């Protein structure tokens, strides 16, 4: 396959999706032209400029760093259309109107570069119908590329060819979207709403239909269909509010307009409650009300009988809650047999979706794997619908579904196809096997894509029924304790880098993790090119990423505190510090492969590593203030060292305050990066650190970085013995601003005390400005501040509050 180098992308349409796709391409360092119509008044690019400005205000944020909005180049079709010739990929993302899209295509087609890929981000229109009127040569370069909203965070992109799209273009685009943009690509057939929206919206319609049948409230349904089922926390109706009820109504209308001969067609009728809300302009979150409405601090829910908003908070019945905790097969049996309306409702929605995917698999997807991954990545389910069916007992569930169809209880009278009940699928107990996933069209189990881009994914998204590599046991274990596992990928050519993974809750770091880490470093120094710290939890999908480490293990330190008071903790803190120094001065490179949260001690581990490889969705920070403490694993010491280094480079060691100011604020305000790109601006990642966009590639890239450093003759940094510090005058300046904040009641007395101790540590203590100190001096300042604060009642209240509720106490 020839290389596809995307030098520049044009996005046509600066609406919600177009602008956010452009933003995420900028995150990935892909230059973007954002086109829209010329404005009737003011500057011609006003529409695109306004969209770019709006991107900065959106939450969740489309940019990794807000200031990167400047890199999107605004454009309009009158003045800039010739610039399309500079683009290797053009993505159309205007409103879902076939006639508008065709008009735009006529305008832009003559200006496309001869080898450019042309793609549409339609969420459900026919790609083949959109390509009508194109010359054959352009048809061969046209396809659908359907991003999910919001594009930065949703892992799924559906890639939809027409019958005439050149196969190598799809392979090139899949590779670009997977590795550069960081997406999970699923290839869909050119059918209305493709895979995820077709199944996902049917699932929502089934929920609405069955909820009405069993007389359940919207908030009650959301409590039943969210995290209790391993699905997105926003469940059904809250998700609809977030997506936008007009958007949902549009997707449903596409099904009404294009699926007249579908046996489930009656289900595609727009629910009366949805139609009424859209008519009133109550479109969900963007208009301040939909199925839910915020009134003051209260979140109210719509009562469909009266059309009024009422107090929310209806929950699953305790009995039903207990059933949902049972193993899959038992759970479905109990739900089916129970007469409780909530249980009957839940069995009905499971049955409806299994019925639907069984009937429609052949028409919408090449195989069952694509359906499951599309729903997991596009709708945030922990397991896809086929996986759920297979886990619960394929044949038994199929018989139950068939019984309900015969009894007239299902949403359609169409029977399950014969492949469900007999032949290879029934014999193997489901659609997913080690040979691959079932394809009704080819009557075989189809293996996964063999594109070379997937060679970088040591662990691909696992599926029920496949004996896929388990990251907790994969490879060759060299030693394992209760706290860590040290192992190598024992494939030829991959076994030269040692990997250490933590086993503690949230990958927290206590004495036993430090011991394991130290042992792994010793082993790596003896026999390997480097050591990578990587956590298998980074592969959890639905939602990829993290935690790398939630910080120091306070629970593990509690016995020492109970026996020896605050002083009893000092050996724990010292051990932590020495562990971090062992990481820093190891004679082989230690690479931290970060994704998700790296907080407190997790951040400090990353700071002491030779290099960091971070997934774009990495949230890094020193957050000890939240439990009334200061960072004491060397994080403040590293801030002082980096400040001194930066000041020395520009010959400004007489003004160290301005170099430590940002690090002080980061720690004193417990700031956490909003992305890996943001962590770089905050100083937690260096410009030389690597940011990866696909979490499945994190381990592979980290190992390659270790090898590269080793091949370049890696040596650890020399021990720091003379660090110029900002000293007492800088501490006094910082404290003066803290006094104003305290007296203005922006911070409490205890916050003032903690922030003062952070200032003392990053400024090198009570010494003259420019004094030279060593690393141990700085570590001692951290240690002393940590132990002193731990001895205060207010800090102890904060720690207990965090351990009991998981939330910071403000005192």
């Amino acid at each position: 396959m020839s290389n596809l180098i995307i030098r520049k992308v044009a996005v046509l349409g600066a609406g919600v999706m177009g602008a956010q796709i452009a933003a995420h391409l900028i995150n990935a360092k892909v230059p973007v032209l954002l086109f829209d119509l010329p404005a009737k008044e003011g500057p011609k690019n006003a529409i695109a400029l306004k969209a770019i400005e709006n991107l900065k205000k959106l939450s969740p944020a489309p940019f990794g760093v807000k200031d990167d909005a400047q890199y999107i180049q605004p454009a309009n079709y009158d003045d800039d259309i010739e610039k399309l010739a500079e683009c290797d990929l053009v993505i159309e993302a205007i409103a879902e109107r076939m006639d508008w899209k065709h008009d735009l295509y006529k305008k832009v087609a003559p200006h496309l570069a001869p080898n450019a890929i042309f793609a549409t981000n339609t969420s459900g229109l026919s790609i083949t119908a959109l390509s009508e009127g194109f010359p054959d040569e352009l048809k061969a370069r046209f396809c659908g590329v359907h991003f999910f909203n919001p594009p930065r965070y949703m892992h799924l992109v559906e890639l939809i060819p027409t019958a005439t799209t050149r196969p190598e273009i799809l392979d090139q685009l899949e590779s670009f979207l997977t590795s550069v943009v960081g997406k999970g690509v699923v290839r869909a057939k050119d059918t209305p709403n493709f895979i995820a929206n077709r199944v996902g919206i049917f699932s929502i319609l089934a929920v609405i239909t069955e909820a009405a049948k069993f007389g359940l409230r919207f908030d009650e349904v959301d409590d039943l269909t969210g995290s209790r089922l391993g699905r997105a926390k926003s469940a059904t109706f809250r998700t609809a509010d977030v997506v936008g009820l007009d958007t949902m109504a549009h997707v449903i209308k596409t099904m009404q307009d294009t699926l007249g001969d579908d046996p489930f067609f009656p289900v595609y009728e727009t629910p009366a409650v949805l139609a009424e809300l859209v008519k009133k302009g109550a479109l969900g979150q963007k208009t301040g009300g939909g199925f839910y409405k915020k009134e003051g601090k209260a979140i109210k829910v719509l009562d469909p009988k009266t059309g009024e908003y009422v107090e929310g908070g209806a929950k699953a019945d305790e009995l039903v809650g207990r059933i949902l905790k049972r193993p899959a097969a038992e759970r479905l049996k109990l739900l089916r047999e129970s007469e409780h309306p909530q249980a009957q409702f839940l069995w009905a929605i499971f049955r409806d979706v299994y019925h639907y995917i069984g009937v429609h698999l052949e028409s919408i997807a090449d195989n069952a794997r694509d359906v499951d991954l599309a729903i997991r990545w596009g709708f945030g389910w922990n397991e896809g619908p086929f996986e759920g069916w297979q886990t619960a007992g394929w044949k038994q569930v199929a018989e139950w579904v068939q019984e309900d169809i015969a009894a007239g209880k299902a949403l359609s009278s169409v029977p399950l196809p014969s492949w469900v009940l007999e032949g290879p699928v029934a014999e193997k107990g489901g659609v997913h096997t080690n040979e691959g996933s079932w394809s009704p069209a080819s009557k075989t189990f189809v293996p996964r894509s063999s594109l070379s881009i997937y060679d970088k994914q040591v662990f691909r998204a696992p599926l029920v029924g496949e004996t896929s590599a388990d990251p907790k046991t994969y490879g060759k274990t060299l030693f394992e304790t209760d706290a860590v596992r040290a192992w190598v990928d024992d494939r030829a050519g991959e076994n030269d880098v040692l990997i250490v993974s933590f086993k503690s809750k949230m990958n927290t770091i206590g004495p036993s993790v430090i011991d394991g880490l130290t042992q792994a470093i010793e082993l790596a120094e003896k026999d390997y090119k480097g050591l990578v710290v990587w956590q298998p939890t980074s592969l959890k999908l639905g939602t990829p990423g993290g935690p790398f480490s939630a910080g120091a293990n306070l629970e593990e330190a509690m016995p020492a505190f109970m026996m020896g008071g605050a002083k009893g903790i000092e050996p724990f803190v010292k051990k932590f510090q020495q562990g971090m120094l062992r990481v820093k001065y190891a004679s082989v490179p230690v690479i931290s492969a970060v994704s998700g949260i790296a907080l407190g001690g997790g951040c400090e581990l990353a700071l002491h590593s030779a290099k960091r490889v971070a997934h774009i969705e990495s949230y890094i920070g020193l957050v000890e203030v939240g439990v009334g403490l200061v960072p004491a694993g060397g994080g403040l010491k590293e801030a002082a060292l980096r400040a001194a280094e930066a000041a020395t480079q520009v010959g400004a060691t007489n003004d160290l305050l301005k170099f430590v100011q940002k690090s002080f604020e980061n720690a004193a305000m417990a700031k956490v990066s909003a992305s890996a790109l943001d962590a770089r601006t905050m100083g937690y990642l260096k410009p030389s650190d690597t940011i990866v966009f696909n979490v499945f590639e994190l381990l592979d890239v980290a190992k390659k970085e270790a090898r590269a450093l080793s091949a370049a003759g890696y040596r650890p940094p020399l021990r720091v013995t003379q660090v110029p510090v900002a000293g007492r005058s800088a501490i006094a300046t910082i404290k003066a601003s803290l006094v104003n904040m305290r007296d203005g009641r922006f911070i409490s007395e205890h916050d003032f005390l903690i922030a003062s101790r952070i200032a003392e540590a990053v400024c090198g203590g009570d010494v003259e400005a420019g004094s030279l100190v060593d690393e141990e001096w700085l570590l001692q300042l951290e240690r002393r501040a940590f132990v002193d604060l731990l001895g205060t009642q207010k800090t102890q209240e904060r720690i207990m509050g965090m351990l009991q509720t998981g939330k910071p106490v403000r005192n």
Side-chain angles (χ1 to χ4, degrees):
M1 183 180 81
S2 61
N3 248 359
L4 171 70
I5 296 175
I6 305 273
R7 294 172 188 84
K8 189 180 279 187
V9 174
V11 177
L12 311 180
V16 174
M17 279 305 282
Q20 289 198 67
I21 290 167
H24 192 55
L25 288 166
I26 290 294
N27 289 336
K29 301 288 177 276
V30 180
V32 178
L33 283 164
L34 181 61
F35 276 84
D36 213 300
L37 296 166
K40 293 188 171 71
E41 293 171 8
K44 279 277 206 55
N45 285 332
I47 296 173
L49 284 165
K50 188 179 178 193
I52 294 166
E53 202 50 41
N54 283 344
L55 284 169
K56 298 181 197 172
K57 301 170 194 163
L58 284 183
S59 177
F63 290 107
V65 175
K66 204 179 280 186
D67 290 349
D68 284 356
Q70 64 182 309
Y71 295 114
I72 297 181
Q73 200 178 332
N76 70 81
Y77 301 115
D78 280 4
D79 300 344
D80 305 304
I81 203 156
E82 290 82 9
K83 291 180 182 171
L84 287 171
E86 305 164 9
C87 299
D88 304 297
L89 171 62
V90 176
I91 300 172
E92 169 271 307
I94 68 166
E96 295 284 278
R97 286 258 313 251
M98 187 80 73
D99 53 342
W100 290 1
K101 289 181 190 280
H102 276 145
D103 288 347
L104 178 62
Y105 295 173
K106 282 184 199 126
K107 190 185 290 185
V108 301
H111 301 279
L112 299 176
N115 293 313
I117 298 173
F118 190 25
T120 171
N121 181 60
T122 177
S123 59
L125 297 178
S126 163
I127 310 298
T128 303
L130 285 170
S131 71
E132 279 165 14
F134 286 172
D136 290 348
E137 185 274 330
L138 181 54
K139 270 187 181 175
R141 294 185 275 127
F142 185 73
C143 63
V145 174
H146 179 213
F147 285 82
F148 272 63
N149 191 18
R152 171 182 158 189
Y153 302 93
M154 297 306 288
H155 194 61
L156 178 65
V157 169
E158 290 176 313
L159 193 54
I160 312 104
T162 68
T164 52
T165 309
R166 281 208 314 272
E168 66 270 21
I169 276 180
L170 295 168
D171 289 351
Q172 290 172 336
L173 206 44
E174 182 166 346
S175 298
F176 169 74
L177 289 165
T178 300
S179 206
V180 177
V181 191
K183 296 300 166 194
V185 175
V186 165
R187 296 203 188 183
K189 290 188 178 179
D190 187 12
T191 54
N193 293 340
F194 315 127
I195 297 174
N197 275 341
R198 178 76 177 271
V199 176
I201 295 295
F202 170 81
S203 169
I204 291 172
L205 289 170
V207 165
I208 294 172
T209 305
E210 302 290 3
K213 194 187 293 178
F214 291 101
L216 305 186
R217 289 166 47 129
F218 298 137
D219 50 347
E220 189 179 2
V221 168
D222 274 357
D223 189 55
L224 288 163
T225 59
S227 42
R228 289 177 192 272
L229 298 188
R231 299 181 185 176
K233 208 165 145 189
S234 52
T236 304
F237 296 105
R238 211 175 285 279
T239 296
D241 275 358
V242 171
V243 168
L245 302 190
D246 51 342
T247 305
M248 191 172 148
H250 172 79
V251 177
I252 294 168
K253 183 153 189 343
T254 305
M255 293 164 101
Q256 291 166 8
D257 293 347
T258 53
L259 294 170
D261 55 356
D262 187 313
F264 291 86
F265 183 74
V267 185
Y268 304 151
E269 186 181 341
T270 306
V273 62
L274 178 65
E276 188 59 31
L277 285 167
V278 172
K279 192 171 143 193
K280 281 187 196 163
L283 307 179
Q285 198 166 278
K286 59 189 169 189
T287 59
F291 289 107
Y292 292 91
K293 186 178 187 180
K294 197 166 183 189
E295 290 185 8
K297 288 192 175 175
I299 303 227
K300 295 199 164 179
V301 63
L302 184 71
D303 179 344
K305 295 187 186 83
T306 64
E308 302 295 317
Y309 288 93
V310 297
E311 292 298 324
K315 297 273 185 209
D317 185 277
E318 198 181 319
L319 165 78
V320 176
R322 284 204 302 273
I323 291 175
L324 290 176
K325 290 178 179 168
R326 307 302 300 161
E330 191 185 340
R331 180 174 68 217
L332 273 193
K333 182 175 188 292
L334 290 170
L335 290 173
R336 186 169 184 267
E337 290 170 357
S338 168
E339 293 188 4
H340 193 293
Q342 290 182 355
Q344 287 287 296
F345 159 77
L346 286 166
W347 158 250
I349 64 169
F350 281 122
R351 175 203 63 216
D352 294 341
V353 170
Y354 297 157
H355 187 191
Y356 192 79
I357 58 177
V359 169
H360 283 301
L361 173 58
E362 184 165 0
S363 65
I364 63 173
D366 174 59
N367 62 73
R369 174 177 54 249
D370 291 342
V371 172
D372 277 346
L373 293 181
I375 292 295
R376 273 163 55 174
W377 293 340
F379 279 79
W381 294 17
N382 283 356
E383 63 175 14
F386 278 118
E387 290 183 287
W389 182 351
Q390 187 160 336
T391 308
W394 182 268
K395 215 163 175 192
Q396 175 62 81
V397 172
E399 285 165 9
W400 286 339
V401 172
Q402 198 67 335
E403 279 174 34
D404 275 16
I405 297 167
K409 293 179 180 176
L411 294 181
S412 167
S413 59
V414 63
L416 289 170
S418 58
W419 64 261
V420 170
L421 297 150
E422 57 202 41
V425 171
E427 287 156 21
K428 300 256 182 181
V431 287
H432 302 306
T433 69
N434 287 333
E435 300 150 57
S437 295
W438 183 252
S439 165
S442 65
K443 297 184 171 52
T444 56
F445 292 99
V446 178
R448 294 200 183 219
S449 166
S450 58
L451 281 178
S452 60
I453 196 69
Y454 295 113
D455 295 344
K456 293 164 77 173
Q457 298 190 8
V458 185
F459 306 101
R460 292 172 78 169
L463 282 164
V464 162
E466 277 185 349
T467 320
S468 51
D470 179 352
K472 292 182 177 173
T473 56
Y474 176 79
K476 182 181 175 189
T477 301
L478 299 173
F479 73 84
E480 189 163 8
T481 68
D482 289 343
V484 305
R485 173 179 175 244
W487 57 283
V488 289
D489 182 339
D490 52 358
R491 294 174 298 165
E494 293 291 333
N495 57 1
D496 54 350
V497 173
L498 185 63
I499 303 155
V500 67
S501 304
F502 302 168
K503 293 163 66 180
S504 49
K505 186 181 176 186
M506 300 286 282
N507 302 320
T508 51
I509 305 169
S512 49
V513 168
I514 295 288
D515 288 340
L517 189 56
T518 305
Q519 191 181 339
I521 291 169
E522 285 164 5
L523 185 55
E525 287 174 334
K526 193 160 141 284
D527 294 323
Y528 295 93
K529 289 180 176 172
L531 175 68
V532 170
V533 183
W534 175 83
Q535 315 297 9
T537 45
S538 62
L539 297 181
K540 195 175 175 192
L541 281 177
T543 48
F548 173 70
S549 172
N553 189 334
L554 287 175
E555 287 185 54
E556 203 173 334
M558 285 314 279
F561 175 69
M562 301 307 282
M563 287 173 68
K567 274 283 182 201
I569 292 286
E570 190 159 5
F572 169 78
V573 181
K574 191 160 191 175
K575 179 169 192 158
F576 200 110
Q577 292 179 339
Q578 294 309 311
M580 295 303 103
L581 291 178
R582 188 72 182 89
V583 168
K584 182 174 181 176
Y585 294 114
S587 56
V588 293
V590 177
I591 311 289
S592 280
V594 179
S595 78
I597 57 171
L599 303 178
C603 172
E604 287 168 321
L605 172 55
L607 288 172
H608 285 86
S609 300
K611 191 165 189 178
R612 290 137 295 276
V613 175
H615 179 233
I616 173 74
E617 299 309 333
S618 292
Y619 311 110
I620 305 174
L622 296 169
V623 295
E624 285 80 355
V625 171
V627 286
L629 293 167
V630 300
L636 300 179
K637 176 261 301 178
E638 283 298 300
L641 295 186
R642 289 183 182 193
E645 191 183 338
T648 304
Q649 280 172 357
V650 295
T653 49
N654 58 344
D655 186 16
L656 277 159
L657 175 59
K658 71 178 181 193
F659 293 92
V660 297
Q661 186 75 37
K662 185 160 74 170
S663 295
F664 162 74
E665 286 172 10
N666 288 344
M669 296 167 73
K671 286 186 181 176
V672 176
S673 71
S675 67
L677 298 168
D678 189 34
R680 194 179 264 165
T681 67
M682 291 171 74
Y684 288 133
L685 295 182
K686 292 184 175 181
S688 56
D689 289 331
T690 302
I691 294 173
V692 299
F693 276 67
N694 197 315
V695 74
F696 290 99
E697 296 179 4
L698 186 66
L699 178 56
D700 183 72
V701 174
K703 285 162 64 183
K704 283 175 175 150
E705 293 284 8
R707 284 187 198 111
L709 285 173
S710 174
Y714 177 78
R715 299 288 305 167
L718 295 168
R719 294 260 173 183
V720 181
T721 55
Q722 294 194 315
V723 189
V725 291
R728 65 172 73 91
S729 55
I731 296 169
T733 306
I734 292 172
K735 278 191 175 177
S737 65
L738 290 173
V739 165
N740 291 336
M741 291 178 77
R742 182 195 61 195
D743 294 350
R745 303 211 173 157
F746 295 106
I747 61 174
S748 70
E749 192 68 53
H750 199 55
D751 290 328
F752 173 80
L753 174 63
I754 301 162
S756 299
R757 299 306 295 262
I758 291 172
E760 287 160 15
V762 293
C763 295
D766 187 14
V767 295
E768 288 296 326
S771 295
L772 299 175
V773 302
D774 61 10
E775 254 181 309
E776 184 44 50
W777 171 270
L778 294 168
L779 288 171
Q780 205 172 0
L781 288 172
E782 284 187 7
R783 232 173 21 246
R784 199 179 304 140
F786 186 94
V787 171
D788 289 352
L789 285 166
L790 191 56
T792 66
Q793 186 184 339
K794 287 201 181 312
T795 284
Q796 290 167 23
E797 286 167 5
R798 289 192 184 191
I799 292 171
M800 291 314 294
M802 182 63 83
L803 289 174
Q804 284 164 5
T805 68
K807 291 178 183 165
V809 172
R810 283 280 157 251
N811 57 2

